[in-house]
Amino acid sequence: MPKREDEFWAAQKEGRGRGLCPSCGSSNISYNPRFESWRCNKCEKSFPSPSYGPGADFGKEARWFGKTTTRERRRESTEAGRKKEEAEPAKPKTSNHGKQVVNRPIKNWLWALLLIFALSIIGLGISIYIGSFIPFWLLVGFSCIYSVEKWFSYTTRKHKGIGKLYRLLLNLCILSLFGLLIWSGVKLFSQELSSSPLFGSLIFLAEFVFFIWMCRVIARNSWRFPSMKLTMSSLIGLFLVLAFAGVQPASSYKDQAFGSISSWFSSISKPATSTPTVTTSAPAATTPNPVVPSSPAKPPQIVQTGASYTNEEVEELVYVLINSERQSFGLSPLSKDSLLTSLAREHSISMATHGFFSHDRAAGERDFGYGQPPGTTRGENISETPQRRWIPGSYLTLKEVSEWAVSGWMGSTGHRKNILEPRFTKTGIGVSRSVEYLYITAMFEGAY
């Protein structure tokens, strides 16, 4: 009998019938030009040429005729051995005392549960220790994806719906991880990712390694549906529909993006003026005397959110925490100043209204050095504090948002220097809010 079916039919000089899979007899086959072989879409097996004979077993001798890859042959052998073990139950062993010892291997789902549980406990402990839940989510995501790739790859190949859902989850996971990587890089550069620079660097390194591993997983599953391009285009289209339909928080993100773009165009059309964080002024006789209000203006609520505290309560608690930090280092507490409070509130309202985060003043806003007495110096700290850890999720308490802002300042060199500056004797705190963020401004003043 010839080794190749085409030689057999050439010798018979008969017309070929419909091409079939030599293993299962299915006609749902396709040619793979990459490996120069045929592939059955039903049993997912590769073969050099289809079977044109009338039987499912016809032409099996040409099944592995040199044009299949090593990976395909290894996978087929592994699946065949696994099916054989499942069909033939393990024989019980007999010990020296005559009792039967039954080998019961641990199921794959039990291995997966043990791995997910162990890494979740480890990640939770690390997150509680460093004060960030990023390690917890990284380890949970890694354990779930590794379990599927290790023990449930056959299930995702056998059931098309599960395979498509798995690929969609992979696409969403790597897109979320990419966004987290960018956000962590920005926070790490500004020393706001963690209270310790070492912990922040380790978190960023872990995210980067996980992202590289996820890219390899996506490459192994690139043949699945839906593709990354389809997923990204669908997400962008869904976001635009929700944003222009007024659904929160997509609508607020759209408004902030348009506000940032418009402010950027206005800034490049006019000469920019930068305001330093700390300024000094020499004595001058021409310093104007500002009109100081008798009581600071009440900051308006820009939007109504689910937070249970007011802006004034945040201002008061931030003021108390700043003085607590100063007293812990042996410095005198700061006193409230009505002019500084009015300037701080005005800048916080401007940032929340125009959707920017900077020490620079917007058009129509009073300057940083407005009303500064001769021979004094000023400093300024600003914070963009989220009102929730996750969206959607529960809102942070008054104590949590206040401590978030002050601890972030204490973890930054320039902001920490302003809080612990011995020359400063006065301060003013201003708070305003947008849909998801609190904009906190703290101004300091003292003798030069």
Side-chain angles (χ1 to χ4, degrees):
M1 177 109 186
K3 294 184 178 181
R4 296 293 300 268
E5 293 173 339
D6 52 359
E7 298 175 6
F8 173 79
W9 288 104
Q12 297 293 326
K13 297 184 183 298
E14 296 180 0
R16 297 183 179 181
R18 192 174 184 180
L20 303 176
C21 174
S23 178
C24 66
S26 173
S27 61
N28 188 11
I29 60 176
S30 59
Y31 182 71
N32 190 345
R34 180 180 179 183
F35 299 107
E36 297 182 356
S37 63
W38 291 79
R39 181 178 179 85
C40 178
N41 298 321
K42 180 180 179 181
C43 64
E44 298 184 352
K45 294 180 180 179
S46 300
F47 44 91
S49 61
S51 173
Y52 297 97
D57 296 331
F58 188 85
K60 278 193 173 181
E61 67 279 356
R63 181 178 167 195
W64 298 117
F65 195 80
K67 287 192 177 182
T68 54
T69 61
T70 305
R71 180 182 299 177
E72 291 288 340
R73 291 196 292 271
R74 187 182 296 117
R75 184 175 65 84
E76 292 291 339
S77 302
T78 304
E79 292 180 359
R82 185 183 304 167
K83 291 180 180 179
K84 184 177 180 180
E85 292 178 358
E86 293 177 356
E88 298 178 0
K91 297 180 180 180
K93 296 182 179 179
T94 304
S95 64
N96 297 331
H97 301 286
K99 295 182 180 180
Q100 292 184 347
V101 180
V102 181
N103 278 337
R104 296 179 179 177
I106 300 178
K107 300 293 184 180
N108 290 338
W109 62 267
L110 187 56
W111 279 115
L113 286 180
L114 290 176
L115 178 64
I116 294 174
F117 178 76
L119 292 186
S120 300
I121 295 299
I122 295 174
L124 184 61
I126 296 175
S127 299
I128 293 176
Y129 180 76
I130 67 177
S132 174
F133 276 91
I134 295 179
F136 172 75
W137 292 115
L138 289 179
L139 290 178
V140 169
F142 170 77
S143 60
C144 293
I145 297 175
Y146 180 81
S147 299
V148 175
E149 291 289 321
K150 178 71 175 178
W151 295 298
F152 301 104
S153 178
Y154 176 75
T155 304
T156 58
R157 290 174 177 267
K158 182 179 179 181
H159 303 282
K160 303 296 184 181
I162 297 178
K164 293 178 181 179
L165 179 62
Y166 175 60
R167 176 58 196 272
L168 178 61
L169 293 178
L170 286 179
N171 293 342
L172 297 177
C173 182
I174 196 171
L175 289 176
S176 303
L177 185 59
F178 182 70
L180 179 63
L181 197 63
I182 296 177
W183 177 85
S184 300
V186 174
K187 292 296 183 181
L188 180 64
F189 182 76
S190 59
Q191 299 182 359
E192 297 178 0
L193 182 59
S194 179
S195 57
S196 172
L198 177 61
F199 290 155
S201 302
L202 292 178
I203 291 174
F204 182 78
L205 181 62
E207 293 174 0
F208 183 75
V209 172
F210 187 34
F211 180 77
I212 296 299
W213 182 77
M214 279 295 303
C215 290
R216 299 189 63 181
V217 173
I218 291 290
R220 287 199 299 267
N221 293 271
S222 59
W223 58 273
R224 298 182 187 272
F225 180 85
S227 63
M228 181 63 70
K229 293 181 180 179
L230 179 60
T231 304
M232 292 183 62
S233 59
S234 301
L235 289 177
I236 294 174
L238 180 62
F239 175 79
L240 293 177
V241 170
L242 295 179
F244 285 97
V247 179
Q248 296 294 344
S251 179
S252 62
Y253 292 155
K254 182 256 298 180
D255 296 337
Q256 291 181 4
F258 285 160
S260 301
I261 294 174
S262 60
S263 62
W264 180 74
F265 275 110
S266 61
S267 63
I268 63 176
S269 60
K270 299 179 181 180
T273 57
S274 60
T275 303
T277 303
V278 180
T279 61
T280 59
S281 63
T286 60
T287 302
N289 294 323
V291 179
V292 180
S294 58
S295 60
K298 181 179 180 180
Q301 300 286 345
I302 301 301
V303 291
Q304 295 293 335
T305 63
S308 59
Y309 47 81
T310 62
N311 293 346
E312 293 89 342
E313 292 175 340
V314 179
E315 292 174 356
E316 182 63 29
L317 187 52
V318 169
Y319 169 73
V320 172
L321 293 175
I322 289 176
N323 279 335
S324 177
E325 293 288 347
R326 288 178 62 88
Q327 291 175 353
S328 64
F329 285 88
L331 301 175
S332 59
L334 303 174
S335 60
K336 292 184 179 180
D337 184 79
S338 57
L339 176 60
L340 295 179
T341 302
S342 177
L343 292 174
R345 287 177 175 175
E346 183 179 6
H347 188 52
S348 295
I349 294 172
S350 178
M351 288 190 294
T353 303
H354 298 94
F356 72 97
F357 180 67
S358 172
H359 289 284
D360 297 336
R361 264 48 182 178
E365 186 181 351
R366 288 179 292 182
D367 191 67
F368 172 79
Y370 175 82
Q372 183 177 353
T376 60
T377 180
R378 279 184 180 178
E380 181 183 76
N381 289 353
I382 57 176
S383 173
E384 188 179 34
T385 305
Q387 302 182 59
R388 296 187 284 186
R389 291 187 184 272
W390 300 286
I391 300 174
S394 59
Y395 284 85
L396 300 176
T397 62
L398 172 63
K399 182 179 179 182
E400 288 175 337
V401 295
S402 304
E403 291 179 348
W404 187 311
V406 177
S407 62
W409 287 339
M410 293 300 293
S412 174
T413 304
H415 300 87
R416 178 188 178 93
K417 182 179 180 181
N418 284 340
I419 294 177
L420 302 180
E421 177 58 53
R423 295 177 296 176
F424 290 152
T425 57
K426 300 177 182 179
T427 186
I429 313 295
V431 177
S432 185
R433 70 180 69 187
S434 63
V435 177
E436 294 295 343
Y437 291 93
L438 287 176
Y439 292 89
I440 305 175
T441 304
M443 296 191 64
F444 308 93
E445 186 179 275
Y448 179 70

